[in-house]
Amino acid sequence: MDTNSNSSDNHSPDSANLLPRSIDWAAIHLAYTTSSSSTRDIGRAHGVTHAAIGKRARREGWERPEKEEPVSAKLAKLEPRQQRFVEEYMVDMNATQAAIRAGYSTETAEQIGYQLLQKTSVVEAISKARQAQQERTAITADTVLMEIANVALADARELVEVKTGCCRCCYGEGHKFQRTLLEMNSDRERWLDKGKDPSEFDEQGGIGFNPLLLPNSDCPNCGGDGQARTVLKDTRHLSPRAVALYAGAKQTKEGIEIKMHSKLDALEKLAKHVGLYEKDNTQKNDPLALRNMTDAERAVRMSSLLQANPALVATLAQLMATGAQQ
């Protein structure tokens, strides 16, 4: 059956776009006064012409934010070797090695690196370069801290589990060695292949072995303790925390070895970040005197400081709770 796409009964996206819509001038004002986006880009995002934005901005006295000085301008104010030092320092954050690669003497590189990091112009250039780097890579301090928190709070059982099930004799007849059906048939075939009397084949505890069953407390072989086995989890179905903890796998003579990042190291980094160590609580840049607070007061204070990142607050609160339980 033919249909008429031009029929008035058909509401195409184009016809929907013809409907009038309200203009969010509050959002436009925010973008105009706080971002570096052009009026054309702002207008395109909000469905209004750049001319209309300019007219309203002039009428209401909107002001554009000051343009930030680009990294190249910051570097241009430095001497050539200082510029090279900033570029090399961004590679590994090692002042001594950066000074050497920038052309300073290896004998005085450590001292020169320290002195350069005391210069306001160099520090500003590094700060600007680091900010630009974070914008390019989308890696911020919060991103790194969340990854550390994921490692610290991950459950290693998501990667490897030790499961204890019944032993071979738990449910065998007379608590004798129990086989699976496949094992029984295979053993019987080998017995017959050797030309032995079928009637003399020892079925022992019969068939039906299932390692997933719980241990039998009456088993004389294992005493109810069962038999442990290692189970490796499918890495395609891991939680974000387990992914952060996972450091790879290696095939060894004994089997597959699962590698993990150190939870203890991650916990130590987080503990320092929230000021749990006494030496960190007494640092000059700690205006909160955390060492004089109770754990509850410290958690409340840290939460108030990190309100801008609710996910991070929740993670750190969980860390505090874990430490309190231990």
Side-chain angles (χ1 to χ4, degrees):
M1 177 179 179
D2 293 335
T3 60
N4 185 358
S5 61
N6 295 323
S7 172
S8 60
D9 292 336
N10 294 327
H11 299 285
S12 67
D14 291 338
S15 63
N17 289 336
L18 295 176
L19 296 176
R21 68 172 186 174
S22 60
I23 299 175
D24 190 350
W25 284 106
I28 295 174
H29 173 262
L30 181 64
Y32 186 93
T33 57
T34 62
S35 74
S36 58
S37 301
S38 68
T39 53
R40 289 185 182 275
D41 290 338
I42 297 174
R44 197 174 295 118
H46 293 276
V48 63
T49 65
H50 71 282
I53 295 177
K55 183 177 180 180
R56 189 168 185 127
R58 289 189 296 272
R59 184 173 70 247
E60 298 184 2
W62 296 356
E63 294 184 2
R64 298 308 311 266
E66 295 183 3
K67 292 185 177 181
E68 295 185 359
E69 194 173 26
V71 178
S72 57
K74 291 284 187 182
L75 290 175
K77 297 178 180 179
L78 304 178
E79 298 175 1
R81 278 199 299 181
Q82 291 178 345
Q83 295 179 16
R84 181 66 185 278
F85 171 80
V86 171
E87 294 168 352
E88 294 295 341
Y89 183 76
M90 292 301 299
V91 174
D92 54 11
M93 300 298 175
N94 186 315
T96 300
Q97 294 302 317
I100 294 174
R101 295 194 297 267
Y104 292 96
S105 169
T106 55
E107 298 179 355
T108 59
E110 182 176 357
Q111 181 180 0
I112 291 295
Y114 174 81
Q115 292 175 351
L116 287 173
L117 291 179
Q118 307 309 307
K119 291 181 175 293
T120 302
S121 56
V122 173
V123 172
E124 288 180 352
I126 291 175
S127 177
K128 192 66 180 177
R130 184 177 297 172
Q131 180 181 351
Q133 185 183 63
Q134 290 178 352
E135 292 175 354
R136 290 194 306 271
T137 62
I139 298 177
T140 65
D142 284 350
T143 305
V144 175
L145 189 57
M146 284 300 297
E147 189 71 4
I148 293 174
N150 281 335
V151 174
L153 301 175
D155 188 344
R157 293 173 296 181
E158 287 192 54
L159 299 177
V160 182
E161 271 191 322
V162 177
K163 294 186 176 181
T164 301
C166 62
C167 76
R168 289 282 185 167
C169 301
C170 277
Y171 299 103
E173 297 178 6
H175 289 298
K176 293 180 181 180
F177 187 90
Q178 188 180 39
R179 299 178 175 94
T180 64
L181 178 60
L182 180 62
E183 290 172 338
M184 180 70 79
N185 292 336
S186 179
D187 289 347
R188 192 189 301 275
E189 288 178 6
R190 281 196 296 267
W191 179 271
L192 297 177
D193 288 343
K194 293 179 181 179
K196 296 183 179 181
D197 187 351
S199 63
E200 295 180 359
F201 177 73
D202 187 1
E203 294 187 354
Q204 297 177 298
I207 61 174
F209 174 68
N210 182 357
L212 301 180
L213 296 177
L214 295 176
N216 187 343
S217 59
D218 296 328
C219 178
N221 181 60
C222 69
D225 292 333
Q227 185 174 7
R229 58 193 177 91
T230 303
V231 179
L232 307 184
K233 297 303 185 68
D234 191 334
T235 56
R236 295 173 298 176
H237 310 295
L238 299 178
S239 68
R241 286 181 176 175
V243 169
L245 181 64
Y246 180 62
K250 181 174 68 175
Q251 182 71 51
T252 68
K253 293 186 296 183
E254 290 76 21
I256 298 177
E257 176 187 346
I258 299 297
K259 298 180 180 181
M260 304 183 196
H261 296 295
S262 173
K263 284 172 61 69
L264 185 60
D265 288 349
L267 280 169
E268 185 175 6
K269 288 181 174 68
L270 281 182
K272 289 180 178 180
H273 181 78
V274 300
L276 292 182
Y277 290 151
E278 184 68 21
K279 65 179 182 179
D280 295 313
N281 293 339
T282 58
Q283 290 178 352
K284 293 181 180 180
N285 61 356
D286 181 8
L288 306 177
L290 294 178
R291 59 176 176 157
N292 297 326
M293 294 182 181
T294 65
D295 287 343
E297 291 172 335
R298 184 182 296 119
V300 171
R301 186 56 176 161
M302 290 303 300
S303 295
S304 66
L305 291 176
L306 297 172
Q307 284 298 322
N309 194 329
L312 183 57
V313 172
T315 300
L316 295 179
Q318 183 176 351
L319 175 62
M320 298 287 289
T322 302
Q325 292 174 359
Q326 296 176 347

